[in-house]
Amino acid sequence: MFEPRSRAYLTDPNAFEQAILSVWEQDDLLAQTAAARKDADPFVFYEGPPTANGRPGIHHVLARTLKDSVCRYQTMRGKRIERKAGWDTHGLPVELEVEKQLGISGKPDIEKYGLLPFNEKCQHSVFTYKEEWETLSKRIGYLLDYDHPYVTFHKDYIESVWFLLSRFAANDLLYLGSKVLPWCGRCGTGLSSHEVGQGYLDIDDPSVWINFPLIDAPGKLAGAALVAWTTTPWTLPSNMGVCVHPDFEYAIIEHDGGRYILLESKAQGVFGEDGWEVVGKVKGSELRGLSYTPLFDWEGGRVVHEGPNHHIVVVDDFVSDEDGTGMVHMAPYGADDFRIAQRDGLQAVLAFGDEARAVAEIAGVALGTFFRDANKAFVRDLKERGRLLRISQYRHSYPHCWRCETPLIYYPSPAWFLRTTAYKDQMVEGNKHICWAPAEIGEGRFGEWLENNIDWALSRDRFWGTPLPVWVNEDDPEDWICIESFKQLEHYAGDLGENFDPHRPVVDEITFPTPTPGKSGTMRRVPQVIDCWFDSGAMPLAQHHWPFENRERVTEQFPASFICEGLDQTRGWFYSLHAVATFLTTHDTSLWESGELWGQPLPRLKPGGAYESCMVNGLLLDKDGVKMSKRLGNIVKPADAIKEHGADAIRWGLLAGGAAHLSRRYDDKGIAEVRRRVLGTLSASYDFFALYARMENWRADDPCPDRSEREPIDRWVLSQVATAAAENAAAWESLQPANALRSLETFIVDELSNWYIRRSRRRFWGAEGEASQAAAFATLYEVLQATLRMAAPVIPFLTDALWKELTGSNESVHLQLFPDANHAEDLVAGAIDQPLSEAMDPILRASSLGRGIRERVQIRVRQPLAKMVVHIANEGKLGGSPRAYEAAIREELNVKQVEWVDGTPDFLQVKAKPNFPRLGKRAGKDMKALSAAIAQLDRATVFDLQGGGTVDVSVGDNVYTLEGDDISLQTESAAGMEASTDGFVTIGLVTELTPELEREGLAREILNRLQTQRKESGLEVQDRIAVRLRGSAEVQAAVEEHGPWIAEEVLAPQGLTWVTEIDADSNDAFRDWELPNNQKLSIAISKITLETA
RNA sequence: GGGCCAGUAGCUCAGUUGGUUAGAGCGUCCGCCUGAUAAGCGGGAGGUCAGAGGUUCAAAUCCUCUUUGGCCCA
């Protein structure tokens, strides 16, 4: 107990923290916490599952620290929190990682390698980094149940996901549609956006302008042709429509006997400088639904969307007026195109199929021609038939297959969708009840995304993922079923066996006769797996194998009170959680109707989204503001940083470094600063306490004065710590940890260490009497306890170590409650004393001003001064009187007398300033003139206003009656002495020195040299000494006058011995010092034991 | 191309019902204190609040545009 710890901590924070960590593991802190909060109200936290297929970086430390700190805070508010770890284990990144390991790439390679061994590798790979993640997470103090994680590839987890999908199917929200995907014809495979991103190349393509003659167009449009532009002539046979912007105004242009429609600004690019004229205008929306003559006459092809409309004008605002003509040729090889085709019922037919080769003979292009090789023939044909207006070359960046460098096509493939648009309104409504930090994310980024919701493309043509549990009748594509459980599958397909693994390819082998009455045929699973975002979105339910098990538990643990992830999760996990939960709890009414499922009660889950609050954190950049990446080699390795600074300093640095949601820079120097300035000060404050508590044999149960009996500065620091606790709690509740840390840092550094402890030091060694000493010990003891509890959520290691030393207990600080001045049981109950805090503020200001004056006039603080005057503007409005702290200011500035100025002292120049918020509303436009008039008020009037009088000020025709609250008084300067002001506090120092003051100053100089020599002689603070002095006459005079005081201060019980004559033998013991004004002093010190004293 | 966010001192960042001296830490210069001592503290210098325009008696703060950077999406 009361062992000093700061040296150990500051020299090797890593070792210091490791020791605490092993105690936590030994004691099983998580279990202790759970036991302590067994019957408490739950605070529900969901851990967003990281993908364990890469090494954790310093940005993961940020996210994990935020989560941990909030959870630790809530635990200290008395809440019970389950902290279940989780792993996101499916998906493309895992497959890519394994491809890399195996030295293969692409779907054909994987199929060749074999699905079974490939998926085994995937499963294995997932946990390659698991240990590294766990070690790091534990090391940074992220308290989590790593022994019982949820894992998305586990059988139980998959079964829950299947159940949820079956609910979508039961509500007719699961359907087979088409999705336009980037496609490599040569490899015969779709590419992920991640793969597309790495394959852009510059290529030359023909740039062609085509016309589409309108059929039966009315009025001014009669005989006109639409003009569109494209760089992909091979898509022209598949033209299914022309899209215009509803709000654009198009020009009707006559050129060379023809009539054309396009944007006027684009006409020159098609028809040249002149030779054309605008003969009319037409708005995009007026063209809607018109028919035109198709470009090619051909048959065959693959129909990918059946629709009643062929070759018509459609409108959409995706059309831009930058490239092209403001009209877009629509073909099923584009995402926007396909979306519009589905919306407006366009017939969509592909001329080029799976291998990007022609599937029909068109315009002399043979069957099987590669798509880009068809461009020339099509262009020639169109030109011959007068459908081509212009052609040129166009160089642009175009996606290529990263494996074979073949240009990609965008191609509609079969895909399964969730009809999330069916309950979009519920999602938007639910979002309004989520508390977002910061709020903008919820209203803006997430809200916008929900408003523009489109159906969720759920399926993936991949291998390692939750298999889509849809079985389709081989003979009848309309006859399909979505399996809800393994039991149901067994019901149809027979025993699955003990070690059934629902992954591919095992699950692909399972077939059964169709259960649909009146139909025949074999049911076979579709080849797709599902988007792994659905896995993670299902996590609130699937983590507990709901509804197969744990129905009650899920009811309690849903929704989450709090989640926290990076900004990039807006359209990821934040959405998938929200979409799955909103469907289940607000849309799937048939599930809840009976109150039971499979003959067991099914408690209703709270309707709405999956989380009540969501904290979003931004990116962590390197120290130069550049994104960290492997390529640039600027990644900060967490292990290195921890070894250097320890986890606490990093945790504090990351959380205090700015608003959590902004991108921030990771600055190693910043972390070092935190360690020294904040954590160093906190541990040194504890050490100070510990040092004197041991020396004075202080015990926590020693009698101490009642709070109200203690000195004002004691009550002040208690008030400050209680205020800081209230501010901290408010910041944590509103998910703004940076604000909590700012307030905490101010308290620790400025208030506790630099003011309270520094001002109170003498009291701890009894220099101010026993009662004062007892009050000081009790106060600092209480304040340190409160401070440690307050800081514990952020710096769990240091606080726990100091807590155990301070309290002599083995019980962790993390089991304690957060300090709360409003809680009657609390240590700082009722300590907030606003008037006291207000009263102390001018004292701190005055000290600062006084040091500034001394600096300016070059009189050091050691030299006492006779008098200072202090004036505080609007002093009467303060809650308490600063005059109670006169002693503090006297000692701090070393002056004999403080004169508090009332009334209208002549030396003080004052100025009235308008109270703008108050007067601005009344005066409006007159404010400027009124402000000038107030500045002109004479001092008598100003002081009269302060005293409760009123004055009329006229501005133009208006007269304003001002009272005290309408102005604020500012002091400008003080005449006749060395003065300084900050506008509210003005002080003046009388700097004349009397011989008495000079002697006292000299005495302090002597004391200073004595203390220095003491220390440099290696003496302990409590050692007694004998002192011999010699020196100049003025020094001797000072010693004669102040000797007893000096002797007391340096612990020289025998007094000071002035030596005039010395013999050669003892000369060596003397050390010479230079004092100001060429005064000479020599000192000899020797240690004496108490017995000889 | 669309949505969202950000630009404040050399550096890292605070600063909203709009209110007149725009703050802190680090760095730098100068100094101080020491019974917390391999620490600590104070003072000075340093800002056209990205740029332009607008609203207002009053703008870092609200609006518009421009610009730079970031994230997500296409």
Side-chain angles (χ1 to χ4, degrees):
Chain A
M1 205 175 172
F2 300 161
E3 285 288 340
R5 301 302 307 269
S6 74
R7 184 69 56 81
Y9 175 69
L10 289 170
T11 43
D12 190 350
N14 189 31
F16 184 91
E17 293 179 355
Q18 297 273 15
I20 296 159
L21 197 57
S22 58
V23 173
W24 287 353
E25 282 175 4
Q26 215 174 319
D27 296 353
D28 198 347
L29 182 58
L30 193 66
Q32 280 188 346
T33 317
R37 302 281 186 270
K38 193 159 51 77
D39 303 314
D41 290 337
F43 179 85
V44 181
F45 167 69
Y46 292 161
E47 159 78 345
T51 309
N53 73 324
R55 294 209 149 80
I58 194 85
H59 52 289
H60 295 110
V61 176
L62 169 62
R64 311 207 125 209
T65 301
L66 285 167
K67 296 177 194 182
D68 183 63
S69 298
V70 170
C71 287
R72 282 186 195 255
Y73 166 76
Q74 290 292 348
T75 301
M76 294 185 78
R77 302 272 0 169
K79 296 286 174 53
R80 167 172 55 92
I81 309 181
E82 288 190 12
R83 298 174 166 222
K84 194 176 177 69
W87 300 101
D88 187 12
T89 55
H90 282 145
L92 191 66
V94 182
E95 291 190 21
L96 293 177
E97 181 78 15
V98 171
E99 285 186 21
K100 215 164 70 189
Q101 277 173 34
L102 294 173
I104 61 176
S105 79
K107 285 167 74 173
D109 280 4
I110 296 172
E111 276 157 2
K112 213 184 312 164
Y113 180 80
L115 229 56
L116 193 63
F118 183 79
N119 273 356
E120 273 170 7
K121 288 267 184 203
C122 285
Q123 181 169 337
H124 194 256
S125 150
V126 162
F127 290 115
T128 308
Y129 299 106
K130 180 172 177 254
E131 199 175 307
E132 200 170 331
W133 273 86
E134 281 188 17
T135 307
L136 175 69
S137 298
K138 285 180 186 168
R139 178 60 191 85
I140 62 169
Y142 186 28
L143 216 53
L144 208 60
D145 182 1
Y146 300 98
D147 296 331
H148 308 94
Y150 66 92
V151 178
T152 58
F153 78 69
H154 281 175
K155 196 173 160 180
D156 284 352
Y157 196 97
I158 288 175
E159 190 174 30
S160 289
V161 170
W162 280 15
F163 177 80
L164 290 167
L165 288 171
S166 79
R167 294 314 306 167
F168 278 91
N171 285 271
D172 194 24
L173 298 187
L174 179 64
Y175 67 92
L176 179 65
S178 286
K179 188 186 180 192
V180 173
L181 295 171
W183 184 269
C184 174
R186 188 188 178 110
C187 303
T189 174
L191 275 76
S192 65
S193 57
H194 148 91
E195 290 171 298
V196 174
Q198 53 188 240
Y200 276 86
L201 294 174
D202 282 345
I203 54 168
D204 288 316
D205 267 322
S207 169
V208 297
W209 284 260
I210 319 293
N211 66 66
F212 299 85
L214 293 171
I215 300 170
D216 298 334
K220 58 190 174 184
L221 299 175
L226 309 171
V227 179
W229 172 79
T230 182
T231 57
T232 53
W234 61 271
T235 64
L236 290 169
S238 293
N239 174 270
M240 53 187 181
V242 170
C243 192
V244 298
H245 196 289
D247 303 329
F248 288 175
E249 201 168 56
Y250 294 90
I252 303 170
I253 285 168
E254 284 195 344
H255 164 72
D256 203 13
R259 191 172 260 221
Y260 302 98
I261 305 172
L262 71 162
L263 288 178
E264 185 176 347
S265 59
K266 302 294 180 186
Q268 193 179 323
V270 186
F271 304 118
E273 294 269 342
D274 39 38
W276 52 274
E277 64 172 319
V278 177
V279 298
K281 296 272 184 186
V282 61
K283 214 172 164 207
S285 53
E286 295 174 51
L287 297 166
R288 181 201 291 265
L290 293 174
S291 291
Y292 60 85
T293 313
L295 288 166
F296 292 92
D297 184 18
W298 63 287
E299 284 182 351
R302 223 184 84 202
V303 178
V304 286
H305 185 254
E306 294 275 8
N309 296 316
H310 297 67
H311 309 294
I312 62 163
V313 179
V314 293
V315 296
D316 194 275
D317 55 15
F318 96 95
V319 176
S320 98
D321 56 1
E322 302 207 344
D323 295 327
T325 61
M327 297 196 168
V328 176
H329 140 67
M330 311 278 292
Y333 300 96
D336 281 314
D337 309 43
F338 200 78
R339 168 177 61 85
I340 292 165
Q342 287 179 314
R343 187 189 67 194
D344 292 347
L346 297 178
Q347 175 84 358
V349 186
L350 299 182
F352 291 83
D354 284 2
E355 294 172 337
R357 292 178 187 279
V359 293
E361 198 181 312
I362 307 160
V365 168
L367 219 63
T369 305
F370 197 56
F371 70 105
R372 282 172 57 82
D373 299 333
N375 280 341
K376 255 187 189 150
F378 289 161
V379 166
R380 195 183 317 118
D381 186 65
L382 288 168
K383 191 172 182 184
E384 281 165 9
R385 293 189 285 114
R387 300 295 294 268
L388 182 85
L389 291 173
R390 180 161 180 244
I391 178 162
S392 65
Q393 286 290 304
Y394 184 72
R395 170 162 288 227
H396 60 155
S397 178
Y398 191 85
H400 287 62
C401 177
W402 59 278
R403 276 185 290 262
C404 65
E405 295 200 349
T406 307
L408 300 178
I409 61 176
Y410 287 85
Y411 188 79
S413 325
W416 291 82
F417 287 81
L418 294 179
R419 203 184 311 278
T420 53
T421 46
Y423 58 96
K424 177 184 118 177
D425 292 347
Q426 283 106 308
M427 285 199 277
V428 170
E429 176 59 29
N431 181 37
K432 292 178 187 155
H433 301 288
I434 300 170
C435 171
W436 288 88
E440 308 89 89
I441 305 280
E443 291 156 19
R445 205 174 175 126
F446 195 63
E448 290 281 337
W449 163 251
L450 290 178
E451 286 291 345
N452 299 317
N453 185 262
I454 53 169
D455 285 349
W456 184 345
L458 181 78
S459 59
R460 295 284 181 273
D461 295 301
R462 299 297 312 187
F463 308 102
W464 176 240
T466 300
L468 186 64
V470 170
W471 270 257
V472 184
N473 189 333
E474 280 182 332
D475 300 332
D476 180 0
E478 303 289 312
D479 179 25
W480 58 268
I481 181 174
C482 182
I483 296 293
E484 67 176 11
S485 65
F486 299 146
K487 199 174 156 195
Q488 190 190 27
L489 188 56
E490 288 192 314
H491 174 72
Y492 293 131
D495 189 18
L496 297 170
E498 189 86 345
N499 297 319
F500 170 62
D501 178 359
H503 284 97
R504 298 186 71 186
V506 174
V507 70
D508 299 336
E509 308 296 322
I510 301 172
T511 60
F512 49 90
T514 176
T516 315
K519 300 220 176 196
S520 64
T522 302
M523 304 297 276
R524 189 174 290 284
R525 201 188 73 83
V526 298
Q528 289 102 338
V529 297
I530 68 164
D531 183 359
C532 58
W533 286 114
F534 190 90
D535 283 349
S536 56
M539 159 271 164
L541 310 145
Q543 68 171 338
H544 298 305
H545 197 207
W546 182 93
F548 305 95
E549 294 178 76
N550 299 316
R551 293 183 187 179
E552 290 293 341
R553 184 172 177 198
V554 169
T555 311
E556 187 212 79
Q557 293 284 313
F558 179 94
S561 316
F562 166 74
I563 63 171
C564 167
E565 303 291 331
L567 188 60
D568 54 349
Q569 295 298 321
T570 313
R571 285 148 163 90
W573 198 50
F574 298 156
Y575 173 68
S576 64
L577 276 177
H578 193 65
V580 172
T582 305
F583 159 74
L584 189 72
T585 62
T586 70
H587 193 85
D588 188 10
T589 46
S590 61
L591 176 65
W592 308 104
E593 262 164 15
S594 67
E596 58 167 49
L597 178 70
W598 307 322
Q600 297 290 324
L602 183 71
R604 188 84 167 85
L605 295 178
K606 189 181 170 194
Y611 45 94
E612 290 169 332
S613 75
C614 179
M615 181 174 183
V616 182
N617 65 270
L619 231 70
L620 206 55
L621 310 171
D622 78 355
K623 62 180 166 48
D624 300 315
V626 179
K627 188 174 173 173
M628 293 187 194
S629 75
K630 277 183 197 164
R631 188 172 54 79
L632 295 172
N634 58 350
I635 290 178
V636 175
K637 289 191 193 136
D640 295 347
I642 290 167
K643 204 172 165 199
E644 172 75 21
H645 303 296
D648 277 348
I650 294 171
R651 289 173 60 113
W652 184 295
L654 289 176
L655 262 51
H661 66 285
L662 301 177
S663 340
R664 284 155 330 131
R665 301 177 181 201
Y666 175 82
D667 183 11
D668 198 60
K669 283 203 315 222
I671 304 293
E673 187 187 319
V674 163
R675 177 174 151 203
R676 194 171 46 73
R677 178 180 154 79
V678 184
L679 307 191
T681 304
L682 178 62
S683 57
S685 297
Y686 159 78
D687 266 17
F688 173 86
F689 173 85
L691 180 68
Y692 287 102
R694 285 171 78 87
M695 202 181 292
E696 303 289 319
N697 287 314
W698 183 82
R699 290 167 49 93
D701 52 7
D702 281 354
C704 76
D706 204 58
R707 271 299 160 64
S708 56
E709 305 291 310
R710 296 186 198 165
E711 298 188 10
I713 195 166
D714 295 330
R715 286 182 280 123
W716 174 81
V717 75
L718 283 161
S719 173
Q720 295 308 105
V721 77
T723 304
E727 287 169 0
N728 267 257
W732 284 115
E733 296 293 342
S734 62
L735 301 178
Q736 295 178 302
N739 291 359
L741 296 197
R742 254 197 302 285
S743 142
L744 190 51
E745 177 179 333
T746 302
F747 174 72
I748 292 172
V749 176
D750 294 342
E751 296 173 347
L752 174 61
S753 172
N754 273 329
W755 191 250
Y756 180 74
I757 295 183
R758 194 163 56 81
R759 289 254 37 90
S760 307
R761 276 179 299 195
R762 300 172 59 83
R763 299 169 60 199
F764 286 88
W765 56 86
E768 309 289 332
E770 269 182 37
S772 175
Q773 185 185 31
F777 269 118
T779 302
L780 186 52
Y781 183 65
E782 291 164 7
V783 168
L784 282 171
Q785 282 200 21
T787 308
L788 293 174
R789 284 186 288 146
M790 208 187 328
V794 185
I795 43 172
F797 295 98
L798 180 61
T799 50
D800 205 28
L802 298 185
W803 174 265
K804 285 172 179 167
E805 283 296 336
L806 188 67
T807 59
S809 154
N810 282 327
E811 191 175 86
S812 167
V813 71
H814 303 292
L815 300 175
Q816 314 304 316
L817 293 177
F818 201 80
D820 182 353
N822 294 320
H823 194 280
E825 305 282 303
D826 198 274
L827 196 64
V828 292
I832 293 181
D833 187 339
Q834 187 61 27
L836 197 58
S837 297
E838 283 181 27
M840 186 64 91
D841 178 63
I843 298 295
L844 295 166
R845 287 167 176 270
S847 304
S848 171
L849 291 170
R851 279 190 288 260
I853 295 172
R854 279 185 171 274
E855 164 92 18
R856 195 171 70 222
V857 300
Q858 291 288 302
I859 300 177
R860 53 186 57 185
V861 180
R862 272 198 289 266
Q863 174 60 58
L865 295 175
K867 192 174 101 171
M868 72 183 287
V869 295
V870 181
H871 177 265
I872 299 165
N874 310 314
E875 185 180 350
K877 290 181 190 158
L878 296 173
S881 173
R883 300 183 186 199
Y885 305 109
E886 183 182 309
I889 207 172
R890 253 188 348 241
E891 287 164 25
E892 192 67 18
L893 293 176
N894 195 15
V895 295
K896 296 289 168 195
Q897 186 203 346
V898 175
E899 189 178 312
W900 298 88
V901 178
D902 292 308
T904 59
D906 293 337
F907 75 90
L908 200 64
Q909 290 163 23
V910 297
K911 188 174 142 191
K913 273 200 131 169
N915 180 350
F916 280 95
R918 197 178 147 97
L919 282 178
K921 288 192 184 73
R922 263 166 71 192
K925 285 187 195 299
D926 287 340
M927 194 58 223
K928 209 169 240 171
L930 183 59
S931 176
I934 287 171
Q936 296 299 316
L937 293 175
D938 60 49
R939 40 188 295 122
T941 311
V942 170
F943 281 111
D944 182 49
L945 275 172
Q946 289 288 294
T950 61
V951 64
D952 288 345
V953 176
S954 44
V955 175
D957 297 338
N958 298 320
V959 177
Y960 296 94
T961 303
L962 304 181
E963 48 190 80
D965 285 345
D966 290 327
I967 62 159
S968 65
L969 193 61
Q970 295 213 335
T971 40
E972 294 213 295
S973 66
M977 61 190 86
E978 293 294 339
S980 185
T981 182
D982 65 3
F984 302 101
V985 175
T986 301
I987 72 165
L989 285 182
V990 175
T991 54
E992 281 90 42
L993 296 179
T994 61
E996 288 79 18
L997 289 171
E998 283 181 351
R999 276 199 300 281
E1000 190 179 334
L1002 199 52
R1004 285 183 175 244
E1005 295 289 348
I1006 296 164
L1007 172 62
N1008 168 257
R1009 303 308 189 280
L1010 269 166
Q1011 296 287 29
T1012 308
Q1013 193 162 333
R1014 254 191 80 110
K1015 183 190 140 205
E1016 290 177 1
S1017 311
L1019 294 167
E1020 300 289 328
V1021 292
Q1022 71 276 20
D1023 288 339
R1024 268 42 180 185
I1025 56 172
V1027 177
R1028 287 174 296 159
L1029 303 170
R1030 59 193 167 92
S1032 49
E1034 285 163 54
V1035 172
Q1036 187 176 10
V1039 168
E1040 273 167 16
E1041 187 172 346
H1042 298 285
W1045 170 72
I1046 296 174
E1048 196 185 332
E1049 289 295 312
V1050 298
L1051 302 184
Q1054 298 158 330
L1056 309 180
T1057 309
W1058 188 261
V1059 184
T1060 43
E1061 298 278 328
I1062 49 166
D1063 53 56
D1065 291 347
S1066 60
N1067 195 32
D1068 291 349
F1070 280 86
R1071 177 167 168 193
D1072 297 331
W1073 295 92
E1074 291 277 333
L1075 298 187
N1077 302 324
N1078 296 319
Q1079 299 295 322
K1080 297 273 192 272
L1081 172 69
S1082 300
I1083 302 173
I1085 289 178
S1086 56
K1087 182 177 171 180
I1088 56 175
T1089 60
L1090 286 177
E1091 289 74 40
T1092 60

